[in-house]
């Protein structure tokens, strides 16, 4: 045996020896100079890279003992000709302009994946005719995809994904007949997909998603019968899905989501029986879902949400054991739901909302033991809520709202101990609210039972749900009093008990709930007076409605009831006060200082509208004027000192006070664009055409500016700050009448608007969201680390991030507006925005950059979740305490994909890794210990790193895995 082996090896040895002889004898000099030429070309290229990058290639050195064939990332053939240049993920920055393509005729593999190469891809790459593998993905290459790539007839794999390439895909790529892997995804490519691409019959993977490709998908796609992965999602492709797509029966992953595809789904797709991912959501498709989905039992993800699909869903889904996520919401699918879904053991997420399902709710859902989210709202379900639904003990989210469900709320729901969100509103549920369900639900955050026929009283046991944040029991027939135990709900933010038959007095504790922002008690039979706690400061309440009750006495003239419309207190015959529509109370103590704003408005009215100077107004006017005269001497001095104190105008057109008044017609309502915590914003257009936003700050009771010097330097720093992600402050003005700030006007609205408006949220895709986060981080990093003196924002919130039309995020509304009103020394009025303020603010007034870092963390989570992360944050902090171990394990086990904003399709490819990293960073930023939070510079650096595409299975990443030690 060994003998025959030796014989067969012999000729190879001979060949090698002969090759060496040829090299040595034929032309020693040519071979050496050729080789040196390759080494020299590499060194020239190295020398062109950014300095720091050069140090990353220490072995690339003529002085080194190694032959260049052994340099890092280089491999040669047996004649010492370079065949491989593989420099993935080593942090190189540079271009290919000094890369001498003609020096490497033997190159077969060229990989620069995940570096920071920029500039364009030179046309000479077409000379490397032996290349079979190119990977330039995850860099910053710009310019066009060179058409010369078409000459690389040996090319099998071309990965240019995740760059900034633009222009259209060259027709010439159609000549790459051997190519099986073509990835041009995540660039800015435009125009149609060239017809020649559809002739590349060796393609196995074609990923062109996340570009701006337009045009339609041609019939000839049916020729690509070897395709297993086809990703065309998030482009602007239009027209129908061709019938011939049904030929591609090797497909396992098909994603066409978020395009403008229309027309019916071709019935031929029934041939695609091996699909694991079928994603066509967010299009304008009609017709039926393909039959046979999951016929071979391998479908994992089905996304057809947000189309106009009709009819039933395939029966083959009924027992699809592999099914993990299903999104069919917002269609017109119909049928008796009971017939279509059996027990689905792997199912994690199912959203069937906004369709036309009817029939009863099957108790089988309870046997889908891995279910964490079930949404069937806005359908036509009838019958009872089956108690056995409670067997799905992993459920976090259950929304059965807006159906025709009847009967009582099953007591057994108490077994859903991980439930965060329970919405049964807008059904025909009757009976009492079972006190039992509040036994163990300490994780419940949102409970909505509104608009049913519930009777009886509000169970006191509701106080057991101590994490409750939103409670809506409105529009039922509940009676009795408001249980005073409700005060135990320390996290409650929104309480709606409107349209019931509640009686008795408003518990005084309601006015003191630390986080309550919205309170609606309208349309009940509440009596007594408004508890004095509603007048106390500080308060978190921003919206209150007590209309149509039997309340009497004084409507307190405090912040809560300041500037509220008549509608929120009308219909209480016994109320008095000096607000619109009320009769004045006879008590002389009615007026107080907080009413100064009103005083000023009235004064202006007096001056501007003399016609209305009725005797009554004159009397009132005289009364008010006399009030002003009585102002303390101290304040008078303050006012004089403030006159024209600050007028720093960096805008060269020199806007003056007068222009602002003219342009806004003295702050006329018609220029009103919004209201922030500390002021009202108007749009002002000057005759020059310049449009600005003017923020008029609410006049303060106390014009005492504590730290004029630092305030002034901050304003100056801000007017000088030039950063893409910081709104331009043109200047500001403060005098005895008014204070206002003049900002650049941005058309794109605030982050808060973007996330709360469904259509905008859909357009605000993962790429844009990550960019916005990076932008804010960049702006904050600049403010903290590059400005002198450094600027602390103090009030980062989604209200204060504004966008321009290019969707670039701008930080606005610095501490300035508030500083203008900063109440002297007691400091208690400074709290940032509720929900964004760092916890240490409860015990320290020290202002430092870590406050911004915390708010940034919250903001980041808000962008990823599509809503404020109250749930996460409270369970994050309680996960630190062993008393809440069940809650904590619930938190740790929660899947990232389930908390991400579900109005967007789940992120794919590189985006996955970025989202994972961003979430991790956000968790680090909200660490309760300010010292353990990263700095904004660390955050920004981390966010700016390029990430490789993650092949790990995104849908199994839990929040626990993303948690860098958060407890101390
Ligand atoms: C290399 O490519 C350039 C541009 O495509 C071309 O003009 C040139 O003739 C090529 N050189 C060789 C040696 O093939
Ligand atoms: C590709 O598909 C088109 C339309 O289905 C057909 O006419 C054409 O012959 C096919 N081309 C090849 C090379 O198979
Ligand atoms: C309070 O609820 C009623 C209906 O229940 C609604 O009409 C009203 O607008 C709500 N008030 C506020 C301030 O949202």
């Amino acid at each position: 045996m060994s003998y025959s082996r030796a014989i067969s090896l012999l000729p190879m040895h001979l060949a090698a020896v002969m090759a060496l002889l040829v090299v040595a004898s034929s032309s020693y000099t040519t071979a050496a100079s050729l080789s040196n030429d390759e080494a020299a070309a590499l060194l020239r290229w190295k020398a062109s890279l950014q300095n720091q990058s050069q140090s990353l290639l220490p072995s690339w050195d003529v002085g080194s003992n190694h032959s260049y064939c052994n340099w890092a990332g280089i491999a040669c053939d047996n004649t010492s000709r370079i065949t491989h240049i593989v420099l993935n993920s080593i942090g190189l920055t540079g271009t290919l302009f000094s890369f001498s393509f003609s020096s490497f005729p033997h190159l077969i593999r060229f990989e620069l994946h995940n570096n920071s190469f920029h500039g364009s891809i030179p046309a000479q790459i077409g000379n490397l005719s032996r290349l079979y593998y190119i990977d330039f993905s995850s860099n910053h290459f710009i310019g066009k995809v060179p058409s010369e790539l078409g000459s690389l007839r040996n090319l099998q794999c071309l990965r240019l994904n995740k760059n900034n390439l633009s222009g259209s895909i060259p027709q010439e790529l159609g000549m790459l007949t051997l190519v099986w892997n073509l990835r041009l995804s995540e660039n800015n490519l435009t125009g149609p997909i060239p017809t020649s691409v559809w002739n590349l019959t060796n393609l196995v993977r074609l990923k062109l998603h996340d570009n701006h490709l337009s045009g339609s998908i041609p019939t000839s796609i049916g020729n690509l019968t070897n395709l297993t992965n086809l990703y065309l999602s998030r482009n602007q492709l239009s027209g129908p899905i061709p019938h011939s797509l049904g030929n591609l029966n090797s497909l396992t992953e098909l994603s066409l989501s978020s395009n403008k595809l229309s027309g019916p789904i071709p019935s031929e797709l029934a041939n695609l029986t091996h699909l694991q991912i079928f994603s066509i959501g967010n299009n304008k498709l009609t017709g039926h879902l393909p039959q046979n989905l999951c016929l071979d039992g391998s479908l994992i993800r089905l996304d057809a949400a947000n189309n106009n699909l009709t009819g039933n869903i395939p029966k083959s889904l009924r027992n699809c054991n592999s099914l993990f996520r299903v999104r069919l919401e917002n269609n017109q699918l119909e049928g008796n739901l009971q017939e279509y879904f059996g027990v689905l053991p792997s199912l994690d997420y199912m959203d069937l909302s906004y369709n036309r399902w009817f029939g009863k709710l099957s108790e089988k859902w309870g046997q889908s033991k891995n279910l964490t989210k079930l949404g069937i709202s806005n359908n036509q379900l009838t019958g009872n809520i089956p108690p056995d639904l409670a067997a799905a003990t992993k459920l976090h989210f259950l929304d059965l709202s807006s159906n025709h469900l009847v009967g009582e709320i099953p007591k057994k729901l108490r077994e859903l101990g991980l439930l965060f969100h329970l919405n049964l509103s807008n059904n025909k549920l009757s009976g009492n609210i079972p006190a039992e369900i509040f036994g163990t639900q300490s994780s419940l955050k949102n409970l909505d039972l509104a608009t049913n026929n519930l009777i009886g009283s509000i169970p006191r046991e509701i106080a057991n749900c101590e994490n409750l944040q939103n409670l809506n029991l409105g529009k039922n027939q509940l009676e009795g009093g408001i249980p005073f135990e409700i005060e135990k709900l320390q996290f409650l933010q929104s309480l709606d008990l409107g349209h019931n038959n509640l009686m008795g007095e408003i518990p005084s504790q309601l006015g003191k709930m630390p986080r309550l922002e919205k309170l609606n008690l309208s349309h009940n039979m509440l009596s007594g007076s408004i508890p004095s706690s509603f007048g106390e400061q500080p308060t978190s309440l921003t919206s209150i409605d007590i209309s149509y009750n039997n309340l009497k006495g004084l409507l307190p003239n405090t912040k809560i009831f300041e500037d509220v419309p008549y509608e929120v207190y009308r219909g209480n015959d016994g109320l008095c006060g000096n607000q619109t529509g009320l009769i004045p109370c006879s008590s002389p103590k009615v007026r107080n200082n907080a009413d100064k704003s009103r005083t000023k408005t009235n004064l202006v009215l007096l001056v501007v509208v003399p016609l209305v100077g009725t005797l009554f107004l004159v009397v009132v006017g005289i009364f008010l004027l006399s009030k002003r005269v009585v102002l303390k001497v101290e304040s008078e001095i303050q006012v004089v000192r403030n006159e024209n104190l600050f007028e720093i105008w960096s805008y060269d057109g020199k806007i003056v006070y007068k222009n602002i008044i003219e342009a806004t017609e003295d702050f006329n309502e018609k220029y009103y664009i919004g209201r922030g915590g500390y002021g009202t914003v108007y749009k002002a257009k000057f005759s020059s055409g310049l449009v600005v936003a003017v923020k008029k700050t609410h006049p303060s009771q106390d014009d005492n500016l504590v730290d004029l010097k630092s305030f002034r330097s901050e304003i100056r720093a801000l007017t000088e700050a030039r950063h893409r992600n910081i709104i331009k402050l043109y200047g500001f003005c403060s005098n005895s009448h008014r204070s206002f700030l003049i900002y650049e006007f941005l058309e794109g609205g605030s982050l808060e608007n973007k996330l709360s408006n469904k259509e905008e949220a859909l357009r605000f895709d993962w790429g844009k969201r990550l960019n916005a986060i990076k932008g804010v981080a960049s702006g904050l990093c600049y403010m903290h680390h590059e400005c002198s003196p450094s600027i602390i924002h103090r009030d980062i919130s989604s209200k204060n991030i504004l966008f321009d039309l290019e969707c670039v995020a701008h930080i606005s509304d610095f501490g300035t507006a508030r500083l203008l009103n900063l109440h002297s020394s007691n400091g208690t009025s400074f709290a940032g925005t509720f929900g964004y303020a760092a916890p240490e603010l409860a015990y320290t007034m020290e202002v430092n950059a870590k406050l911004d870092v915390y708010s940034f963390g919250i903001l980041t989570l808000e962008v990823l979740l599509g809503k404020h992360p109250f749930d996460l944050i409270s369970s994050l902090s309680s996960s630190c305490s062993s008393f809440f171990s069940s809650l904590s394990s619930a938190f740790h086990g929660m899947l990232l994909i389930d908390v991400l904003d579900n109005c967007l399709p789940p992120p794919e490819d590189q985006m996955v890794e970025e989202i994972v990293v961003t979430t991790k960073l956000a968790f680090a930023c909200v660490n309760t210990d300010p010292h353990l939070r990263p700095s904004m510079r660390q955050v920004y650096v981390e966010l700016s790193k390029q990430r490789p595409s993650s092949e790990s299975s995104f849908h199994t990443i839990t929040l626990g895995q993303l948690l860098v030690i958060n407890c101390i």
Side-chain angles (χ1 to χ4, degrees), residues 632-643:
K632 289 188 191 128
V633 182
E634 215 178 294
S635 316
E636 287 285 40
I637 292 169
Q638 207 61 54
V639 169
V640 173
R641 211 155 61 85
N642 279 359
E643 195 95 52

Side-chain angles (χ1 to χ4, degrees), residues 198-201 218-224 244 247:
W198 308 115
N199 297 332
L200 297 173
T201 48
T219 304
S220 50
I221 194 172
N223 294 339
L224 305 185
S244 60
N247 297 352

Side-chain angles (χ1 to χ4, degrees), residues 294-520:
C294 202
L295 196 62
D296 75 340
S298 51
L299 190 68
I300 295 171
R301 267 174 44 194
L302 168 60
D303 172 15
N306 303 314
N307 279 295
N308 295 315
L309 303 183
T310 50
N312 306 327
I313 56 175
K315 289 244 159 76
S316 53
L317 282 179
R318 186 176 165 91
N319 292 310
C320 182
N321 288 354
S322 53
L323 215 49
F324 181 74
R325 289 178 75 89
V326 178
R327 295 191 50 182
L328 297 173
E329 73 268 20
N330 281 311
N331 280 294
Q332 287 129 48
L333 297 169
E334 61 190 338
N336 187 334
L337 196 57
Q338 253 179 321
E339 292 167 21
Y340 289 98
F341 291 103
V343 177
L344 300 169
S346 312
L347 190 67
D348 166 73
Y349 184 113
M350 170 77 85
D351 197 342
L352 302 171
S353 309
Y354 292 91
N355 278 293
R356 297 178 182 165
W357 302 108
F358 53 84
K360 292 188 178 170
L361 196 61
S362 160
E363 75 284 348
K364 290 240 174 72
W365 290 112
Q367 293 164 45
S368 298
K369 295 285 184 194
N370 285 307
L371 198 56
T372 64
K373 170 166 176 169
L374 180 61
I376 321 184
S377 74
N378 291 277
N379 280 290
Q380 287 144 35
L381 299 183
T382 48
N384 298 330
I385 299 176
D388 289 337
L389 189 60
T393 50
K394 288 191 183 167
L395 266 182
H396 288 127
F397 182 105
L398 179 60
D399 188 348
L400 303 175
S401 62
S402 300
N403 279 292
H404 309 303
L405 299 172
V406 294
E408 299 198 0
I409 298 174
K411 297 183 172 70
K412 228 180 155 192
L413 289 189
R414 70 169 170 269
E415 286 164 24
L416 296 176
L418 300 179
L419 212 52
F420 272 83
H421 181 103
L422 176 60
N423 190 345
L424 304 177
S425 66
N426 203 15
N427 278 294
K428 292 172 182 150
L429 299 172
S430 54
N432 293 311
I433 301 176
E436 291 84 349
I437 67 169
F438 302 118
T440 51
Q441 250 97 6
S442 61
S443 55
L444 199 60
K445 302 294 164 71
N446 301 309
L447 175 62
D448 192 345
L449 304 178
T451 322
N452 278 296
N453 301 322
L454 299 172
I455 54 167
S457 57
I458 301 174
R460 297 171 194 290
E461 289 78 0
I462 204 159
N464 294 342
C465 294
E466 45 193 19
N467 290 299
L468 211 53
Q469 292 171 350
N470 297 298
L471 176 59
N472 192 347
L473 304 177
K475 300 200 174 133
N476 279 294
Q477 286 136 45
L478 299 172
E479 52 202 25
I482 302 175
F484 69 86
E485 287 87 350
I486 233 165
E487 73 168 311
K488 291 194 190 139
L489 301 176
Q490 294 292 300
F491 294 103
L492 202 62
Q493 288 158 26
S494 170
L495 176 61
D496 190 341
L497 303 176
H499 283 273
N500 278 295
N501 303 322
L502 298 173
M503 301 205 291
E505 300 201 348
I506 301 177
S508 76
Q509 291 86 347
L510 271 189
K512 288 192 254 181
M513 308 252 312
R515 292 176 173 82
L516 194 62
E517 293 183 41
K518 291 187 181 156
L519 176 62
N520 197 337

